[in-house]
Amino acid sequence: MKTHKSDSRAVRFAAALIAAPVAVLPIVLAPPASAAWIVYDPTNYAQNVLQAARALEQINNQIAALQNQAQMLINQARNLASLPYSSLQQLQQAVGRTQSLLQQAQNIAFDIQQIDQAFQQNYGNIDLNTSEQQLVADARSRWENTVGGLQDAMRVQAGVVGNIEANRAQMSALVDQSQGATGALQATQAGNQLLALQAQQLSDLTAVIAANGRALALTDAERAAAAEQGRVQRERFLTPGSGYRPGNAQMFNGNN
């Protein structure tokens, strides 16, 4: 009987040990009455992430738009930037030098009224009653006009040749400015100045042609006037009573 009682006690003790953790566990894991449960909702979390991604994308688009606007303003500023180089003064000086040479024309200037007056006096019809002294003086004046015209033409040619080096330097500078232009306005202004340089070169060419034409015209006018003077003198020589009158001429010393 004692053995049976002892076995019964052992079984009850083991059962108590096994049941003890189960009874204690609810007490340990149970939260306090004032605490709240944290609930995780996967759907809500996904929606929040998607909204955040969309907001970030909108911010990136706004930043890109601002960058494009800033670049547009920079490009507009470049296109409106003025060329920091001007060849106008040098070109005007070259034109002024050539014009000064033309204004220094000798005897007969590049003036319509003066040309008409000079041709009427020295290159017009010659009167039969004009004295020999006057004929010689008029011929001398016409010769001086022709020589002066030739000299003027050569002086203009020399002045234009002197402008070539200055034009070369200006052309090189303008081409460099055109190639280094940062915007449309600078490129356009450089192109306009190159056109101005060409206009100056054309003005030099016009001056040379005008000076050469003047010299040639004076030469032809002198020849025409000389022919007219020869005709008058021949007619005067053949006119009775005013022709050649023989006289004594001593060519050598009578003592020889």
Side-chain angles (χ1 to χ4, degrees):
M1 292 299 293
K2 294 182 179 179
T3 303
H4 178 74
K5 291 182 179 179
S6 60
D7 291 339
S8 177
R9 291 178 181 176
V11 171
R12 288 196 300 270
F13 181 76
L17 290 177
I18 296 173
V22 177
V24 175
L25 183 60
I27 298 175
V28 175
L29 297 179
S34 61
W37 289 96
I38 300 176
V39 180
Y40 170 73
D41 188 353
T43 303
N44 188 25
Y45 178 77
Q47 291 178 353
N48 292 335
V49 172
L50 182 60
Q51 291 178 357
R54 290 176 178 175
L56 180 61
E57 183 179 3
Q58 291 179 355
I59 294 174
N60 290 334
N61 292 336
Q62 292 176 356
I63 293 175
L66 292 175
Q67 290 177 344
N68 293 333
Q69 292 178 358
Q71 187 63 40
M72 185 184 302
L73 293 175
I74 293 174
N75 293 334
Q76 290 179 355
R78 289 178 177 176
N79 288 331
L80 296 177
S82 179
L83 188 70
Y85 180 82
S86 176
S87 61
L88 179 60
Q89 183 177 1
Q90 291 81 357
L91 296 178
Q92 288 180 339
Q93 291 176 353
V95 174
R97 288 191 295 267
T98 303
Q99 186 176 7
S100 177
L101 291 174
L102 293 176
Q103 292 175 351
Q104 296 173 11
Q106 304 177 51
N107 302 327
I108 301 178
F110 290 93
D111 181 78
I112 296 177
Q113 294 181 355
Q114 187 175 357
I115 291 173
D116 292 341
Q117 182 179 1
F119 268 74
Q120 184 177 2
Q121 293 179 355
N122 298 329
Y123 297 92
N125 294 328
I126 300 177
D127 192 354
L128 290 174
N129 298 323
T130 303
S131 64
E132 292 293 333
Q133 292 81 2
Q134 187 62 42
L135 291 176
V136 173
D138 292 342
R140 177 73 181 184
S141 177
R142 291 191 294 269
W143 175 80
E144 291 177 350
N145 292 340
T146 300
V147 174
L150 294 172
Q151 184 180 3
D152 293 338
M154 296 183 66
R155 295 179 73 245
V156 172
Q157 293 170 6
V160 170
V161 171
N163 288 337
I164 291 178
E165 178 59 26
N167 292 340
R168 184 199 64 78
Q170 291 301 318
M171 180 176 60
S172 177
L174 290 174
V175 170
D176 291 341
Q177 291 292 328
S178 177
Q179 292 178 347
T182 59
L185 180 59
Q186 289 189 1
T188 301
Q189 289 178 340
N192 291 338
Q193 293 190 44
L194 284 172
L195 293 176
L197 175 60
Q198 292 181 356
Q200 184 268 323
Q201 293 173 338
L202 288 176
S203 68
D204 278 354
L205 179 60
T206 302
V208 170
I209 294 175
N212 291 342
R214 174 176 176 270
L216 180 61
L218 289 174
T219 301
D220 293 341
E222 181 189 6
R223 291 175 180 174
E228 175 65 13
Q229 180 174 334
R231 184 191 65 79
V232 171
Q233 288 178 330
R234 182 176 63 255
E235 184 177 351
R236 180 184 298 178
F237 178 80
L238 297 177
T239 300
S242 60
Y244 170 73
R245 296 181 181 181
N248 296 326
Q250 183 177 358
M251 299 180 62
F252 304 100
N253 193 341
N255 294 328
N256 293 335

